[in-house]
Amino acid sequence: MDFEKLADVISETVGCDREKVVREAKLEEDLGADSLAAMELIMALEEAFDTEIDDTELDNFKTVGDLADYLEGKAA
């Protein structure tokens, strides 16, 4: 899983500065991803990484690291 690609997709979709997208960044508090942005982000990640993300997992994604870990697990 390419973290740089993940960070680019998050930055573009959420509309935040690219340098703010680090593993520890909280999606809502630090990057400003509200529930609508979160849904758009999931769709963008599914397309960018050619995978499917279960909607029931959404509540588990609090940080960029959570997303990265999930995508790494899917790629394994």
Side-chain angles (χ1 to χ4, degrees):
M1 199 281 307
D2 181 355
F3 186 81
E4 294 303 313
K5 182 177 177 182
L6 171 64
D8 288 342
V9 172
I10 292 172
S11 174
E12 290 171 22
T13 306
V14 176
C16 64
D17 292 334
R18 169 61 181 82
E19 55 272 2
K20 287 184 174 181
V21 184
V22 294
R23 287 188 68 89
E24 300 79 28
K26 293 183 176 86
L27 295 169
E28 189 171 345
E29 292 90 342
D30 298 333
L31 304 181
D34 59 15
S35 58
L36 178 59
M39 286 302 298
E40 290 173 354
L41 177 59
I42 294 304
M43 290 187 291
L45 291 172
E46 287 178 333
E47 185 174 322
F49 290 94
D50 192 31
T51 190
E52 194 167 309
I53 300 173
D54 190 344
D55 291 345
T56 61
E57 296 286 337
L58 282 179
D59 290 337
N60 298 330
F61 304 138
K62 303 296 183 200
T63 66
V64 172
D66 293 341
L67 275 172
D69 292 344
Y70 179 81
L71 290 170
E72 285 170 1
K74 295 277 286 183

